C-alpha cells in the first residue's frame, strides 16, 4: 500500500480533519497532525500498531466495542464502500470524545483493496470561547483541577433553572454522579493518577453534553449534571449514556488499564425545589445506587 508522498503529506498535515491510513489488518501506516491533536496520540506512538491496541478503541453509545464488531474500516474494506458513523473515541488522557468517522477503501492499480483511510473530526458541542473561560476564572467559578464549574457556579445554575421551571414550566434533570471505589485508586496508584481519573471523567462528560447543559465538580469525586430535557424519559437516556462512556474510559498506567465506575442519581426539578432540596434529593438517589451495588443509576420512580 502506497503512503502519501512529500507534497500530499504536507497537505494532509495541515488540514483540520484527522486522517489515518491502515492496511488490510487495520495496522496504522500513517497518522496526520490533526489526528495527533484530537486523539492525544503522537504519530510515532501509533504507526505500526493496530487501532484496537489500546489506542482509539471506538465504542458506540451503548458501549459496544466496535473494534470487535462493527468497525467502520473493516466494513468499508469488506463491502468496498464508503462508511460514515458516529462513535466515541478513546483519548490518550483516558476520556471519551464523540467523533464522526468516514472510512473509505484504498485500492492498488489492479483494483484490489489493500487498506482503508479514515477521516474523523470532533463532534462535541462544547463551546470553548476563551472569553467565557476567562470570565469564569475571574469570578473564581472554575474548579482548578478539572476546569469544570465549581460548587458556587453549580448553585447559581440550579437556582436559575428552578426559576425557569416555575415561570415557564420547563423541564430539567439533575444527575448526581459519584465515582465508585475512587479511594482504592488513590491508595493503589497514588493521588496523581487519581487526579488524572478525575480529569478523565470530567472531560468525558463535558464533551458529551450539549453546550448549554452543565457539568460541574461539587467536591472530591462528586459531579453534578444539569440538563434541559423535552420529556422525563430523556433524563434516563442521558444518564445511561454518561455511565456507559465513563465505564469505557480508561488510562494506561505501566501497561495496565485503569478505569472507574460511577453511581448516579437522577432527579427532575420541581417548582417547589430550592437549590439545597434539589441537590439533597439527587444525592439520596445516588446513595441508593451505592447501596444497591454501585455502578448503576437510580431514578425517582425507582423508589
Amino acid at each position: 500500500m502506497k503512503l502519501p508522498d512529500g507534497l500530499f503529506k504536507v497537505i494532509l498535515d495541515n488540514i483540520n480533519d484527522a486522517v489515518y491510513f491502515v492496511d488490510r489488518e487495520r495496522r496504522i501506516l500513517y497518522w496526520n497532525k490533526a489526528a495527533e491533536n484530537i486523539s492525544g496520540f503522537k504519530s510515532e506512538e501509533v504507526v505500526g500498531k493496530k487501532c484496537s491496541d489500546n489506542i482509539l478503541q471506538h465504542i458506540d453509545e451503548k458501549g459496544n466495542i466496535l473494534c470487535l464488531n462493527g468497525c467502520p474500516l473493516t466494513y468499508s474494506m469488506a463491502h468496498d464502500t464508503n462508511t460514515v458513523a458516529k462513535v466515541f473515541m478513546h483519548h490518550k488522557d483516558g476520556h471519551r470524545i464523540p467523533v464522526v468517522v468516514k472510512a473509505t477503501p484504498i485500492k492498488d492499480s489492479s483494483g484490489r483493496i489493500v487498506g482503508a483511510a479514515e477521516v474523523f473530526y470532533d463532534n462535541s458541542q462544547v463551546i470553548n470561547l476563551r472569553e467565557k473561560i476567562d470570565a469564569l476564572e475571574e469570578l473564581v467559578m472554575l474548579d482548578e483541577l478539572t476546569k469544570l464549574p465549581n460548587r458556587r457556579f453549580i448553585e447559581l445554575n440550579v437556582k436559575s433553572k428552578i426559576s425557569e421551571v416555575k415561570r415557564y414550566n420547563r423541564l430539567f434533570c439533575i444527575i448526581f454522579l459519584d465515582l465508585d471505589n475512587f479511594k482504592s485508586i488513590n491508595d493503589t496508584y497514588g493521588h496523581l493518577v487519581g487526579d488524572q481519573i478525575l480529569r478523565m471523567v470530567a472531560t468525558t462528560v463535558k464533551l458529551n453534553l450539549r453546550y448549554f447543559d452543565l457539568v460541574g465538580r461539587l467536591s472530591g469525586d462528586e459531579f453534578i449534571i444539569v440538563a434541559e430535557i423535552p420529556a422525563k424519559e430523556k433524563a434516563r437516556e442521558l444518564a445511561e449514556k454518561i455511565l456507559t462512556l465513563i465505564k469505557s474510559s480508561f488510562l494506561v498506567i505501566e501497561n495496565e488499564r485503569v478505569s472507574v465506575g460511577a453511581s448516579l442519581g437522577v432527579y427532575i426539578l420541581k417548582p417547589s425545589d430550592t437549590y439545597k432540596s434539589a441537590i439533597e434529593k439527587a444525592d439520596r438517589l445516588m446513595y441508593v445506587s451505592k447501596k444497591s451495588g454501585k455502578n448503576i443509576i437510580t431514578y425517582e420512580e425507582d423508589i
Side-chain angles (χ1 to χ4, degrees):
M1 177 177 167
K2 186 179 179 182
L3 295 176
D5 60 25
L7 174 60
F8 284 109
K9 186 178 185 301
V10 170
I11 294 173
L12 289 173
D13 276 342
N14 285 277
I15 63 174
N16 293 327
D17 289 344
V19 180
Y20 70 101
F21 302 154
V22 299
D23 61 17
R24 291 286 301 188
E25 285 71 44
R26 290 187 293 169
R27 188 175 293 105
I28 297 172
L29 305 176
Y30 170 75
W31 188 260
N32 78 342
K33 293 294 184 184
E36 291 185 342
N37 294 336
I38 294 174
S39 71
F41 289 98
K42 296 295 184 183
S43 176
E44 57 267 24
E45 294 178 285
V46 299
V47 170
K49 297 180 180 179
K50 295 183 179 181
C51 52
S52 59
D53 293 339
N54 276 346
I55 303 174
L56 303 184
Q57 293 276 310
H58 293 343
I59 63 169
D60 62 18
E61 193 164 292
K62 295 181 179 179
N64 297 314
I65 301 174
L66 301 183
C67 294
L68 302 179
N69 184 23
C71 172
L73 287 170
T74 300
Y75 186 90
S76 179
M77 289 187 285
H79 296 85
D80 190 11
T81 185
N82 296 332
T83 307
V84 179
K86 293 181 179 180
V87 304
F88 299 89
M89 173 186 292
H90 167 68
H91 189 277
K92 184 180 178 180
D93 289 341
H95 57 268
R96 286 285 173 181
I97 312 170
V99 295
V100 175
V101 302
K102 301 178 180 179
T104 188
I106 297 175
K107 302 178 182 179
D108 62 15
S109 57
S110 65
R112 184 173 62 93
I113 295 175
V114 293
E118 181 171 296
V119 178
F120 63 89
Y121 59 87
D122 191 333
N123 194 37
S124 64
Q125 298 188 49
V126 176
I127 295 181
N128 292 314
L129 297 178
R130 188 64 245 174
E131 302 82 31
K132 288 194 173 184
I133 297 298
D134 289 342
L136 286 174
E137 289 175 336
E138 288 173 10
L139 292 170
V140 198
M141 288 191 179
L142 275 188
D143 172 61
E144 184 177 354
L145 176 65
T146 63
K147 302 304 180 185
L148 292 181
N150 62 14
R151 179 189 292 268
R152 181 181 176 192
F153 187 81
I154 293 169
E155 180 175 352
L156 293 174
N157 183 272
V158 172
K159 287 180 176 178
S160 172
K161 297 301 185 280
I162 292 171
S163 295
E164 293 185 49
V165 172
K166 292 177 180 177
R167 296 177 62 185
Y168 307 115
N169 201 32
R170 296 173 74 174
L171 203 57
F172 295 93
C173 69
I174 290 183
I175 301 175
F176 197 114
L177 187 159
D178 186 272
L179 301 185
D180 291 332
N181 303 317
F182 182 66
K183 183 179 183 299
S184 67
I185 290 178
N186 279 330
D187 292 343
T188 303
Y189 301 99
H191 288 278
L192 290 179
V193 172
D195 287 349
Q196 286 181 267
I197 289 287
L198 290 173
R199 285 192 290 265
M200 177 187 78
V201 171
T203 306
T204 290
V205 177
K206 179 176 66 176
L207 291 178
N208 289 285
L209 293 177
R210 299 165 300 184
Y211 71 88
F212 49 82
D213 293 330
L214 169 81
V215 56
R217 185 184 181 198
L218 192 62
S219 65
D221 58 343
E222 297 176 337
F223 298 85
I224 294 292
I225 300 165
V226 184
E228 184 171 10
I229 49 175
K232 288 185 178 181
E233 57 267 22
K234 291 299 179 181
R236 185 178 293 268
E237 292 178 14
L238 175 61
E240 290 173 353
K241 172 185 173 182
I242 292 300
L243 181 56
T244 295
L245 294 176
I246 289 173
K247 290 193 297 184
S248 68
S249 300
F250 62 91
L251 298 174
V252 178
I253 306 297
E254 297 180 353
N255 296 320
E256 181 181 355
R257 285 174 59 142
V258 181
S259 59
V260 69
S263 295
L264 279 63
V266 182
Y267 177 70
I268 306 299
L269 278 178
K270 310 294 189 302
S272 59
D273 275 319
T274 63
Y275 167 74
K276 183 178 179 181
S277 71
I279 296 298
E280 286 179 348
K281 291 170 185 174
D283 186 15
R284 283 200 295 270
L285 292 169
M286 180 279 296
Y287 189 69
V288 173
S289 295
K290 289 282 188 190
K291 298 292 285 185
S292 301
K294 302 181 180 180
N295 218 27
I296 59 175
I297 307 166
T298 302
Y299 306 90
E300 282 181 272
E301 53 267 32
D302 294 341
I303 57 173

